[in-house]
Amino acid sequence: MRRPHTTFTTKNNSRSPSACRSGDATQSKIKEVFKKAIRKNSVNLQRKQAANFTPSGQPRREEAVSALCWGAGGETQILVGCADGTVKHFSTEEGRFQGQRHCSGGEGIFRGLAQVDGTLITCVDSGILRVWHDNDKEASSDPLLELRVGPGVCRMRQDPARPHMVATGGKENALKVWDLQGSEEPVFRAKNVRNDWLDLRVPIWDQDIQFLPESQKLVTCTGYHQVRVYDPASPQRRPVLEATYGEYPLTAMTLTPGGNSVIVGNTHGQLAEIDLRQGRLLVCLKGLAGSVRGLQCHPSKPLLASCGLDRVLRVHRIRNPRGLDHKDEPHEPQEPNKVPSEDTETDELWASLEAAAKRKLPGMEQSQGALQTRQRKKKRPGSTSS
């Protein structure tokens, strides 16, 4: 039995004419920001629905997406890294896959994808970073370059200003910056922070990495709710700035349009903006119902797209007036012959119990009324004192 496509529905409430005009302006802004997605991408904000671009129409476990990145030459192609080690090329203009290649080597899923000068860069969580001929579709072809960046990789990120530079980091794998046109040794290797007040070693767990624009600085977020800024141009290899947010692991991070702050999300669905100049919390946004898995700010407009384990796509305004601009909730239509699930049976059981309780309420009211009548009869007439 095929599982129906996941569609998105939005709850509409009655609004005043002024609210409707502001809503129209919001919708036009969203259309402009996500114009690529509106046309022929997987999520359509205009129709409030989503579709799976798979050959069979039904997603498979081995086709699970573990990494995404834009292809070279504009936002006309998306590179999709799948759990089986396959990298697919998806055309946003034609709305279909145009090719794929198998990038073998290492263990685990992709932790980063990039493309530069006709080559494809892949990195898996076992620490194998490889550079491939992008136009070579043969699965048995050898990579052009192979680097061992250390086990436990959580993120590989390409520098947008210098595409041949990438950064890696992970669990007990400190931040490193690599020059793919240079030697096989990192050009920068971060040093762990000093021991804590108990003289115990501080564990390392870099979850996400971003390159700051117009500088050599990098910013990381960790699984121990820290945001750190590193400067490879400075003599010290330790962070030049550190800030903490909340009590839960940070899972995703994105730069704001100005590049002076970052927005982070954690495993409890909380979102916050951190100032990178002073290391302080600027504002908290309305979070998600599940762990945050992806954050992306518009390059020039104050808009933030977020998604997580609750399978809801949200668009926030990150400047005044701050708030939630758009929300798409997943809705899966039930097949007519589908057997009710355990949750459905549980809901029906609670509904029957509530109905039985309501039927018993009139009898309870009658018994309470009879008790009050007996108490009034016990009182003697004229016994009330003046």
Side-chain angles (χ1 to χ4, degrees):
M1 183 181 295
R2 290 187 177 181
R3 185 180 179 180
H5 294 304
T6 302
T7 58
F8 288 76
T9 59
T10 302
K11 298 179 181 179
N12 295 324
N13 298 323
S14 58
R15 297 177 294 176
S16 62
S18 60
C20 292
R21 286 193 295 270
S22 62
D24 295 339
T26 299
Q27 290 295 331
S28 62
K29 187 188 302 181
I30 295 171
K31 293 175 186 176
E32 183 180 355
V33 173
F34 299 99
K35 59 183 179 180
K36 296 295 181 182
I38 288 176
R39 291 191 295 176
K40 293 183 178 180
N41 211 333
S42 58
V43 178
N44 192 318
L45 295 180
Q46 193 175 29
R47 297 182 180 179
K48 303 179 179 62
Q49 64 182 9
N52 293 311
F53 289 100
T54 55
S56 61
Q58 183 177 3
R60 297 178 299 173
R61 184 179 296 274
E62 58 269 18
E63 294 178 344
V65 178
S66 57
L68 289 171
C69 76
W70 289 110
E75 298 178 356
T76 60
Q77 190 180 65
I78 300 176
L79 302 182
V80 182
C82 301
D84 59 355
T86 302
V87 179
K88 300 180 180 180
H89 297 254
F90 181 81
S91 174
T92 59
E93 295 180 342
E94 299 182 10
R96 62 183 181 88
F97 290 101
Q98 293 183 331
Q100 66 180 29
R101 67 157 301 151
H102 186 72
C103 300
S104 59
E107 298 179 356
I109 61 175
F110 291 115
R111 293 300 183 177
L113 291 177
Q115 196 176 34
V116 56
D117 297 333
T119 60
L120 175 66
I121 307 170
T122 63
C123 184
V124 295
D125 53 9
S126 62
I128 303 299
L129 187 150
R130 289 185 169 183
V131 181
W132 312 80
H133 275 300
D134 192 30
N135 55 0
D136 191 355
K137 303 298 189 297
E138 297 181 3
S140 60
S141 62
D142 296 329
L144 298 175
L145 176 67
E146 179 175 321
L147 298 175
R148 297 185 179 273
V149 301
V153 175
C154 293
R155 180 68 65 189
M156 182 204 75
R157 183 77 67 178
Q158 183 184 34
D159 187 353
R162 299 171 295 170
H164 60 280
M165 305 287 290
V166 296
T168 60
K171 195 164 188 177
E172 295 304 328
N173 190 343
L175 172 69
K176 303 181 187 68
V177 180
W178 305 83
D179 186 358
L180 301 181
Q181 296 178 350
S183 65
E184 296 185 358
E185 293 295 325
V187 297
F188 174 76
R189 188 192 301 266
K191 190 176 182 180
N192 195 13
V193 296
R194 293 182 175 85
N195 293 351
D196 60 9
W197 63 282
L198 292 174
D199 200 23
L200 298 176
R201 176 184 175 274
V202 179
I204 300 173
W205 191 4
D206 291 331
Q207 289 271 48
D208 204 351
I209 307 169
Q210 293 286 348
F211 286 87
L212 296 182
E214 300 179 359
S215 71
Q216 298 183 20
K217 295 180 180 180
L218 300 94
V219 57
T220 65
C221 68
T222 74
Y224 302 104
H225 58 89
Q226 300 144 342
V227 177
R228 293 169 175 165
V229 178
Y230 295 85
D231 187 4
S234 66
Q236 65 173 349
R237 293 184 292 148
R238 288 192 172 99
V240 296
L241 183 142
E242 179 175 333
T244 58
Y245 168 67
E247 301 176 355
Y248 307 107
L250 301 178
T251 54
M253 178 178 60
T254 182
L255 287 171
T256 57
N260 296 322
S261 61
V262 293
I263 296 178
V264 295
N266 60 20
T267 55
H268 280 229
Q270 299 169 343
L271 299 175
E273 184 177 358
I274 307 295
D275 186 5
L276 298 180
R277 293 167 294 186
Q278 301 179 1
R280 62 186 181 91
L281 176 65
L282 293 179
V283 68
C284 293
L285 301 173
K286 184 177 180 180
L288 286 65
S291 177
V292 181
R293 285 295 182 263
L295 295 173
Q296 183 61 53
C297 280
H298 189 273
S300 59
K301 297 182 181 297
L303 294 175
L304 167 71
S306 62
C307 63
L309 294 186
D310 60 354
R311 301 184 303 157
V312 178
L313 172 66
R314 293 175 174 85
V315 180
H316 289 86
R317 297 185 307 272
I318 58 176
R319 293 294 176 264
N320 291 329
R322 296 184 177 92
L324 186 64
D325 254 3
H326 192 83
K327 179 179 179 181
D328 277 338
E329 299 181 0
H331 173 70
E332 296 184 1
Q334 206 173 30
E335 295 182 4
N337 298 327
K338 187 174 180 181
V339 179
S341 62
E342 184 179 354
D343 294 339
T344 305
E345 295 177 354
T346 305
D347 294 340
E348 293 177 353
L349 176 61
W350 280 110
S352 62
L353 291 175
E354 291 177 357
K358 290 180 180 179
R359 287 195 298 269
K360 291 181 179 181
L361 285 177
M364 295 175 63
E365 293 176 355
Q366 292 178 2
S367 60
Q368 291 179 356
L371 179 62
Q372 293 178 357
T373 303
R374 288 194 296 270
Q375 289 178 351
R376 286 196 297 268
K377 288 182 178 180
K378 289 181 179 180
K379 294 181 179 180
R380 297 174 59 185
S383 60
T384 305
S385 58
S386 55

